[in-house]
Amino acid sequence: MSLKKGNGPKVLPATLTISGQGSTDKLEVTYHNRKQSEVRERLESGATMAGLIAFLVDSWDTDFDLTEEGVMAFEDEYPGIVEILFAGFHQARRKELEKN
């Protein structure tokens, strides 16, 4: 059995392919492997989405600061990036069933 408590990876690397504004770009992101309960707790305590992204992302290959303010500046310049980063987190964290 390989699925054991506390045995998950600490970080989750992901390549996000993002299109819009006339181009398609790749963003390399490494997420912290935060539990759903941790994300829910942050949201219930009043965290902003920008603050939540700063909590979820360990590193990224962009020159925007990885702070709540940096995430807000990123969203200001590239509308939709917060939603993309949040969806990317869930996709990177989600387990999938393969055909048996």
Side-chain angles (χ1 to χ4, degrees), residues 96-100:
E96 297 282 334
L97 177 64
E98 293 186 7
K99 186 173 180 176
N100 295 322

Side-chain angles (χ1 to χ4, degrees), residues 12-78:
L12 306 166
T15 301
L16 307 180
T17 303
I18 302 166
S19 61
Q21 297 183 345
S23 69
T24 298
D25 303 286
K26 295 203 180 288
L27 179 64
E28 298 295 328
V29 180
T30 302
Y31 293 102
H32 294 285
N33 190 6
R34 308 280 191 200
K35 295 179 182 178
Q36 288 178 297
S37 58
E38 293 175 289
V39 173
R40 187 173 40 256
E41 193 175 282
R42 285 281 171 134
L43 287 171
E44 288 172 356
S45 71
T48 65
M49 284 304 291
L52 183 62
I53 294 300
F55 174 70
L56 297 176
V57 174
D58 177 64
S59 64
W60 57 19
D61 69 343
T62 182
D63 57 357
F64 289 94
D65 292 334
L66 188 46
T67 61
E68 185 171 357
E69 295 76 18
V71 174
M72 290 182 343
F74 203 177
E75 176 71 21
D76 191 40
E77 191 158 340
Y78 298 100

